[in-house]
Amino acid sequence: MPPTEIPTSLPPMKDLTTENLTENVHLVNSQCTDPRLRYLLERIVTHLHTFCLETRLSTEEWNTGIQFLTQIGQISDDLRHEMILLSDTLGVSSLVDAINHPRQPPATEGTVLGPFHTHDAEDMDHGAVLHSDPDATRLLVLCTIKDSAGNPVSDVKVDVWEGDSKGFYDVQNPGRTGPDGRGVLRSDANGEFFFQAIVPVPYPIPMDGPVGRMLEALGRHPNRPGHVHFMLDKEGFDLLITALYPRGDPYETSDPVFGVKESLVVDLSTVEDEEVATKYGVKVGTKLLTYDFVLLSDQEARELRKKNAIKAMQKQGRKVVFHNDLPIPAESS
Amino acid sequence: MPPTEIPTSLPPMKDLTTENLTENVHLVNSQCTDPRLRYLLERIVTHLHTFCLETRLSTEEWNTGIQFLTQIGQISDDLRHEMILLSDTLGVSSLVDAINHPRQPPATEGTVLGPFHTHDAEDMDHGAVLHSDPDATRLLVLCTIKDSAGNPVSDVKVDVWEGDSKGFYDVQNPGRTGPDGRGVLRSDANGEFFFQAIVPVPYPIPMDGPVGRMLEALGRHPNRPGHVHFMLDKEGFDLLITALYPRGDPYETSDPVFGVKESLVVDLSTVEDEEVATKYGVKVGTKLLTYDFVLLSDQEARELRKKNAIKAMQKQGRKVVFHNDLPIPAESS
């Protein structure tokens, strides 16, 4: 049906050429009243157009891209998140995590959440066995949590999860009846917690979809180095989503989702002392992973984000103002 | 299952930070043996990362973007092309068309194909009536086709299509039994062709999906100014996909898909002369659209594309080589 509403205030845009198309799109989008969305669109459009101009993107390539992105949506559902996998494999998820949860020494670095976290993990006591997998190599995980001043942080909600000895997470088992390989602990008065996990093994990310085809075309392997996931949550502290990677994994330096950081690669040892074994309820000879987590406070993280945002805007030659704690250029506020 | 294939040649990548993540992604993607794909990925990753860094993209915004793109794929099917609509409304389709079909005077400019072209239009004779719509205002369309030296071009396949007097294309009619408002002609020995169309009216692009919600959030209207589509195809000439826009449409300067170019805006006149009316089989007083199309040869278009590509690569400070007629940086060939 012919429309009735006629724009009146929009500055006229016409005579599109390869040279002025970008500014014409900006002009139309400048009608947006939300300054943050306006800024995001300005950058999206600029980057999309610059990409096409720099590469002289062919109609055939454009069409391949349109189909690729469409198929990613079509294969996705409540359990399969192919668009997140695309973001992961292009390093975007890792980058967004680093931007939103910046760290400075001595704080523990974060890494990608991944697609296998669930909300049905059960509370467990210190020393509990995380995994029912009989084929796995047992691993005692023994950790402390401190704040950046070195004080123990008690009562942190510690969400842990990992795959089994074949590299599968419980949610990948079609017959799953409940959580396995995951649990929730609380740090004690000394900021300590411990549990029995298994020595993690590498596993491939899903390769049967469009992202798998992309990795194949790029000559990339799909294998993540083995790791144990941790999510440390306590009011007043910046949420820490991270993972620990036992050193020596063949994929340690080529993680397809760019999650490995040197500070998160750990040397496993062995429980040698009978007294220690008894204290933590394991046998002598059990593999041992120890780690001291350091949390940033909310306030410390907010200040770091702000400082980094000001620097990033200056790099563009723009003065910054903040809108709901997020940066926008001063000229558009 | 744990993977067996172990990478050997890949330079080690580790200790990801916000600063070195981009180069680490490039390092992993540098395994790609196709130099053009490698170049495309290098630019995609650079732009995606720069976008996140410049905007300090929040986790919530990232998540909104992931969902938005996923939903675009999910609403798409063989008839609905929401990802193309996104490309259209961000000016990308128009830009890719301009890059792939560059024009220099006196050649006619191209514009977006749009989603309503079909392959079932029937051949029709000069003077045929394109549209069965009884409510429409008749329009005699009278055109010539020349090459850039001014010689008439005969036997060009001229594919024309347009919406009806309510702004709908035949494919939008659920009861469609065959083509209406579309047809295929051939230019005669003088490079001429003519047919009876209708005076086009504005119409909205589909607003009931994710792209519609985006336009609403941006405060943009969905209405395309009225136009008649043309596709001019002849061996040895660069395909011309274009449209003509009668002047004075309320949406002429704010087309949501950035298709209008000043050179494609036409002044309609009226058939005044009895002899002309008889010659073309219409009544005196019928609205008249005349246009002289000029086609570039394949060779002329290829040279222009190459010249533009070299310029675009120089702008990046890169030397260019060509791979299947598409540019790649010399250092990666």
Side-chain angles (χ1 to χ4, degrees):
Chain A
M1 224 165 324
T4 50
E5 175 212 340
I6 291 175
T8 51
S9 60
L10 189 67
M13 165 198 85
K14 211 161 41 184
D15 207 12
L16 297 175
T17 64
T18 321
E19 281 69 43
N20 72 11
L21 182 51
T22 310
E23 57 191 279
N24 270 319
V25 180
H26 290 333
L27 189 62
V28 169
N29 287 341
S30 68
Q31 299 172 92
C32 178
T33 54
D34 177 335
R36 176 68 181 169
L37 183 58
R38 207 161 61 219
Y39 178 51
L40 292 180
L41 260 287
E42 182 223 284
R43 299 320 302 156
I44 289 170
V45 168
T46 296
H47 284 294
L48 276 172
H49 287 211
T50 307
F51 166 70
C52 295
L53 289 167
E54 285 172 347
T55 60
R56 317 312 289 176
L57 193 70
S58 76
T59 302
E60 195 187 338
E61 289 165 342
W62 171 84
N63 200 38
T64 301
I66 292 281
Q67 283 184 40
F68 174 70
L69 290 172
T70 300
Q71 287 163 358
I72 286 178
Q74 287 170 336
I75 206 174
S76 295
D77 57 29
D78 286 350
L79 287 175
R80 179 159 188 159
H81 304 287
E82 192 83 356
M83 198 67 78
I84 294 183
L85 194 65
L86 177 65
S87 169
D88 292 349
T89 53
L90 295 179
V92 173
S93 307
S94 188
L95 184 61
V96 169
D97 175 71
I99 289 168
N100 283 275
H101 300 287
R103 295 290 176 258
Q104 63 194 1
T108 304
E109 293 189 285
T111 187
V112 287
L113 173 66
F116 298 124
H117 179 254
T118 69
H119 294 280
D120 68 352
E122 285 167 9
D123 288 343
M124 59 184 201
D125 294 327
H126 287 194
V129 174
L130 193 66
H131 237 299
S132 64
D133 185 343
D135 300 327
T137 307
R138 295 276 145 211
L139 176 69
L140 174 63
V141 180
L142 185 51
C143 303
T144 66
I145 310 178
K146 293 187 174 144
D147 65 17
S148 52
N151 306 305
V153 187
S154 66
D155 203 34
V156 176
K157 185 185 170 197
V158 180
D159 209 332
V160 297
W161 67 106
E162 68 168 332
D164 65 16
S165 62
K166 308 282 184 299
F168 289 114
Y169 286 81
D170 59 352
V171 289
Q172 295 177 285
N173 175 1
R176 181 187 199 259
T177 53
D180 189 25
R182 57 185 81 236
V184 177
L185 301 97
R186 300 260 166 190
S187 59
D188 69 14
N190 300 319
E192 289 178 13
F193 68 92
F194 63 99
F195 62 99
Q196 287 188 48
I198 66 175
V199 175
V201 299
Y203 60 86
I205 58 173
M207 285 294 279
D208 59 335
V211 173
R213 291 199 299 279
M214 178 186 82
L215 292 192
E216 270 163 22
L218 292 172
R220 287 172 53 174
H221 73 77
N223 307 311
R224 296 215 63 203
H227 54 274
V228 183
H229 290 276
F230 295 82
M231 190 189 298
L232 274 57
D233 191 9
K234 180 172 178 169
E235 181 100 24
F237 291 90
D238 196 54
L239 181 70
L240 175 62
I241 296 170
T242 195
L244 298 176
Y245 301 81
R247 196 181 306 281
D249 191 289
Y251 306 105
E252 188 180 315
T253 60
S254 60
D255 182 2
V257 306
F258 306 96
V260 182
K261 295 173 182 177
E262 178 57 29
S263 66
L264 304 175
V265 177
V266 289
D267 289 296
L268 298 190
S269 58
T270 306
V271 178
E272 310 275 10
D273 189 291
E274 185 73 51
E275 215 170 306
V276 171
T278 307
K279 179 174 175 189
Y280 294 108
V282 297
K283 288 179 195 157
V284 165
T286 302
K287 288 281 176 192
L288 175 64
L289 186 166
T290 61
Y291 202 80
D292 299 317
F293 293 100
V294 178
L295 300 181
L296 276 193
S297 71
D298 273 339
Q299 185 56 32
E300 288 167 325
R302 191 179 302 119
E303 278 165 18
L304 256 182
R305 272 193 295 272
K306 200 160 179 174
K307 199 179 85 181
N308 292 343
I310 291 169
K311 247 194 271 175
M313 295 298 276
Q314 280 171 344
K315 218 173 146 180
Q316 296 179 67
R318 289 177 125 165
K319 288 219 172 91
V320 59
V321 292
F322 284 84
H323 179 77
N324 301 330
D325 271 350
L326 292 168
I328 54 171
E331 69 264 28
S332 77
S333 63
Chain B
M1 225 164 323
T4 50
E5 176 212 339
I6 291 176
T8 50
S9 62
L10 188 67
M13 163 197 88
K14 214 163 35 181
D15 206 13
L16 297 174
T17 64
T18 321
E19 283 67 42
N20 72 12
L21 182 50
T22 309
E23 57 191 278
N24 271 318
V25 180
H26 290 335
L27 188 63
V28 170
N29 287 341
S30 68
Q31 299 171 93
C32 177
T33 54
D34 176 336
R36 175 69 181 169
L37 183 58
R38 206 162 61 220
Y39 178 50
L40 292 181
L41 260 287
E42 182 223 285
R43 300 319 302 156
I44 288 169
V45 168
T46 296
H47 285 295
L48 276 173
H49 287 209
T50 307
F51 167 70
C52 295
L53 288 167
E54 285 172 346
T55 61
R56 317 310 289 176
L57 193 70
S58 76
T59 303
E60 195 188 336
E61 289 165 342
W62 171 83
N63 200 38
T64 301
I66 292 280
Q67 284 185 39
F68 174 71
L69 290 172
T70 300
Q71 287 164 359
I72 286 178
Q74 287 170 334
I75 206 175
S76 295
D77 58 29
D78 286 351
L79 288 173
R80 178 159 188 160
H81 304 286
E82 192 83 356
M83 199 66 79
I84 294 183
L85 194 65
L86 177 64
S87 169
D88 293 349
T89 53
L90 295 180
V92 173
S93 307
S94 188
L95 184 62
V96 169
D97 175 72
I99 289 168
N100 284 275
H101 301 286
R103 295 292 176 255
Q104 61 193 1
T108 304
E109 292 187 285
T111 186
V112 285
L113 173 67
F116 298 123
H117 180 254
T118 71
H119 293 281
D120 67 351
E122 286 168 8
D123 288 343
M124 60 186 201
D125 293 326
H126 287 193
V129 174
L130 192 66
H131 238 299
S132 63
D133 184 344
D135 300 327
T137 306
R138 295 275 145 212
L139 176 70
L140 174 63
V141 180
L142 186 51
C143 302
T144 66
I145 309 177
K146 294 187 172 143
D147 65 17
S148 53
N151 306 306
V153 186
S154 65
D155 203 34
V156 176
K157 184 185 170 197
V158 180
D159 210 331
V160 297
W161 68 105
E162 68 167 331
D164 67 15
S165 61
K166 309 283 186 295
F168 289 114
Y169 286 80
D170 59 352
V171 288
Q172 294 177 287
N173 176 2
R176 182 186 198 261
T177 52
D180 189 26
R182 58 185 80 239
V184 177
L185 301 97
R186 298 263 167 189
S187 60
D188 68 15
N190 301 318
E192 289 178 10
F193 69 90
F194 64 97
F195 63 97
Q196 286 188 48
I198 65 174
V199 175
V201 300
Y203 61 85
I205 58 173
M207 284 294 278
D208 59 336
V211 173
R213 290 200 299 279
M214 178 187 81
L215 292 192
E216 270 163 22
L218 292 172
R220 288 172 52 174
H221 72 77
N223 307 310
R224 296 215 63 202
H227 54 274
V228 183
H229 291 275
F230 296 83
M231 189 189 296
L232 274 59
D233 191 8
K234 180 172 178 167
E235 180 101 23
F237 291 90
D238 195 54
L239 182 70
L240 176 61
I241 296 171
T242 194
L244 298 175
Y245 301 80
R247 195 180 305 281
D249 190 290
Y251 305 104
E252 187 179 316
T253 59
S254 61
D255 182 3
V257 306
F258 307 96
V260 182
K261 294 173 182 176
E262 178 57 29
S263 68
L264 303 175
V265 177
V266 291
D267 289 297
L268 298 189
S269 59
T270 306
V271 177
E272 309 274 10
D273 190 293
E274 186 73 52
E275 215 169 305
V276 172
T278 308
K279 180 174 175 191
Y280 293 108
V282 297
K283 288 180 194 157
V284 166
T286 302
K287 287 282 176 191
L288 175 64
L289 185 167
T290 61
Y291 203 80
D292 299 317
F293 293 99
V294 177
L295 300 182
L296 277 193
S297 71
D298 273 339
Q299 186 56 31
E300 288 167 325
R302 190 178 303 116
E303 278 166 18
L304 255 183
R305 271 194 296 273
K306 199 159 181 173
K307 200 178 84 180
N308 293 342
I310 292 169
K311 247 194 272 177
M313 295 297 275
Q314 280 171 343
K315 219 172 144 179
Q316 294 180 69
R318 290 177 124 163
K319 286 215 171 96
V320 59
V321 293
F322 285 84
H323 180 78
N324 300 331
D325 271 350
L326 291 169
I328 55 171
E331 70 264 29
S332 77
S333 63

